[in-house]
Amino acid sequence: MARRLLGACCVLLAAILLVAAAAASARADGESGIRQPSGEYRGRKVGARTEVRDVERDGEVQELGRFSVAEYNRRHVGGGERLEFGRVVAAQRQVVSGLKYYLRVAAAAENGGGERVFDAVVVVKPWLESRTLLRFAPAAPK
């Protein structure tokens, strides 16, 4: 009985050493043992912000900019100047519990003021068909 137990322990130890040696060899060859996804996601962290390309032609992003200005106007009835949507000039997208958009929106005062730039944050939950404006404020000067 003791011989069987000793033999089983030796086989288990040999298997562990074989796996450890294979892993060390793979690391020495430059592989980390964890496969990275290919394509545009290489090097990105889950939940990191990503730039939205070709913002001017992205209909969804432009609609979210229009929504953010309309929501701002709705919340500030009688409490300030109303804005007129111009365009979204830059955007980032982040996967959260839904999609979080960081928008740079150009808008002008309805009473004829010049165009100004605002930062907006909008969360979209497509499965609930909801979108929520979290923040809308003048952009900080660069």
Side-chain angles (χ1 to χ4, degrees):
M1 181 75 163
R3 288 178 104 178
R4 279 187 169 166
L5 186 59
L6 184 59
C9 287
C10 287
V11 170
L12 182 61
L13 182 60
I16 290 171
L17 291 174
L18 187 62
V19 169
S25 173
R27 276 195 240 49
D29 292 340
E31 294 181 20
S32 66
I34 299 172
R35 296 199 180 272
Q36 294 292 322
S38 61
E40 81 175 79
Y41 294 102
R42 175 164 291 237
R44 290 190 189 161
K45 292 185 171 39
V46 175
R49 290 185 192 185
T50 58
E51 289 293 324
V52 175
R53 295 182 186 159
D54 202 11
V55 174
E56 298 282 336
R57 287 196 247 170
D58 190 317
E60 179 184 14
V61 169
Q62 294 299 319
E63 175 55 34
L64 288 172
R66 188 172 279 106
F67 163 77
S68 65
V69 170
E71 188 66 12
Y72 168 83
N73 287 335
R74 187 185 69 76
R75 291 180 185 179
H76 291 86
V77 173
E81 66 183 351
R82 294 183 55 80
L83 298 174
E84 185 176 313
F85 174 74
R87 69 191 184 289
V88 176
V89 296
Q92 294 179 331
R93 182 181 294 129
Q94 179 181 24
V95 177
V96 292
S97 179
L99 292 170
K100 192 177 212 180
Y101 288 87
Y102 298 86
L103 308 174
R104 177 109 344 154
V105 179
E110 283 183 346
N111 61 5
E115 188 173 81
R116 295 183 312 185
V117 179
F118 298 86
D119 287 329
V121 179
V122 179
V123 173
V124 178
K125 294 184 180 181
W127 65 95
L128 296 176
E129 296 182 12
S130 78
R131 40 190 189 176
T132 306
L133 178 65
L134 298 180
R135 180 173 182 268
F136 192 91
K142 288 187 176 187

